[in-house]
Amino acid sequence: QVQLVESGGGLVQPGGSLRLSCAASGFTLEYYTIGWFRQAPGKEREGVSCISSADGSTYYAESVKGRFTISRDNSKNTVYLQMNSLKPEDTAVYYCAAAGLLMRPENFEDDLYNDWGQGTQVTVSS
């Protein structure tokens, strides 16, 4: 059974940091493109970052470039999203998702991702 489980969300002050984890079971994560998406109240879901199955290349939305870092630990079958310099506008439910090989992973086409975690809440507030 394919399963993705996110953890690491919480409440943090502006300028703070959090590290989200996406633990996979039922499949080997390194063979899939893993994306992080987020959805704030009243807004559409948006892609944040992804790591390609092809060569491990990483991609970021413009809004998080230079602040967020995606990484993968194959020994733990887990993908991480290190989030630094957090802003109130980063507040959202964060989801990880798995897709096969994507031709243009930087497009963050969420309909190409087949398996999704349950999400973890990130709140940035003073």
Side-chain angles (χ1 to χ4, degrees):
Q1 180 181 358
V2 172
Q3 190 173 19
L4 294 167
V5 178
E6 303 97 333
S7 61
L11 173 64
V12 64
Q13 291 186 342
S17 298
L18 284 174
R19 189 178 77 158
L20 304 184
S21 299
C22 173
S25 59
F27 70 104
T28 302
L29 191 147
E30 67 176 297
Y31 299 135
Y32 292 79
T33 295
I34 303 298
W36 284 98
F37 294 80
R38 66 186 181 187
Q39 188 166 23
K43 294 188 176 182
E44 291 189 357
R45 186 166 58 193
E46 63 173 347
V48 175
S49 181
C50 67
I51 183 165
S52 172
S53 61
D55 57 4
S57 296
T58 58
Y59 302 89
Y60 300 92
E62 284 297 326
S63 59
V64 306
K65 274 184 181 177
R67 300 189 298 122
F68 290 12
T69 303
I70 191 171
S71 62
R72 186 174 63 202
D73 186 336
N74 294 336
S75 67
K76 295 183 178 179
N77 213 29
T78 300
V79 167
Y80 302 98
L81 185 67
Q82 178 67 43
M83 306 187 296
N84 298 329
S85 302
L86 283 161
K87 304 175 182 180
E89 51 263 44
D90 294 318
T91 295
V93 177
Y94 284 71
Y95 301 89
C96 67
L101 179 64
L102 300 179
M103 298 304 292
R104 301 295 298 269
E106 66 272 26
N107 289 347
F108 297 109
E109 296 168 278
D110 56 2
D111 58 335
L112 298 181
Y113 286 78
N114 301 314
D115 298 287
W116 292 77
Q118 83 289 350
T120 186
Q121 176 71 46
V122 171
T123 303
V124 184
S125 174
S126 55

